[in-house]
Amino acid sequence: MVQSINTKVDFVIDATSHTGISAYGKIMVGDKGFEFFNNRDARKFIQIPWEEVDHVVASVLFKGKWIPRYAIQTKQNGTYSFSSKDPKGVLRAIREYVEPNRLVHSLGFVDVLKRGFKRKSAK
């Protein structure tokens, strides 16, 4: 069994991890870090201490009405993408431990296209 890095848990919810093949489990947001535990295999888990979090990126659609997924970018180990039933609740719990200027929106579809055309015209 995996030992949690948190001493106090603020928020627990069912979630899906989108790293490689999707895995179903639970997200725990606590005082020491962000954790994802797989429901089927106890050896497959993700533990991210708050000191390691660089940015939290949320994919926001329909002017904030729907957040299909969010990602945590770490300083050394890359990006971990998640989705859950209550993403706003998860992001509110994360906001207690991560500075608000490090919670950002991802680019929309139109913004990505604009960037691509600007790069193409700059060459």
Side-chain angles (χ1 to χ4, degrees), residues 45-59:
F45 62 93
I46 299 170
Q47 294 178 329
I48 305 170
W50 294 127
E51 302 85 40
E52 186 65 25
V53 174
D54 189 31
H55 283 89
V56 178
V57 181
S59 175

Side-chain angles (χ1 to χ4, degrees), residues 73-90:
Q73 291 181 345
T74 61
K75 294 177 181 171
Q76 294 180 351
N77 297 329
T79 303
Y80 299 95
S81 181
F82 302 96
S83 62
S84 60
K85 293 187 181 209
D86 184 18
K88 289 183 183 180
V90 174

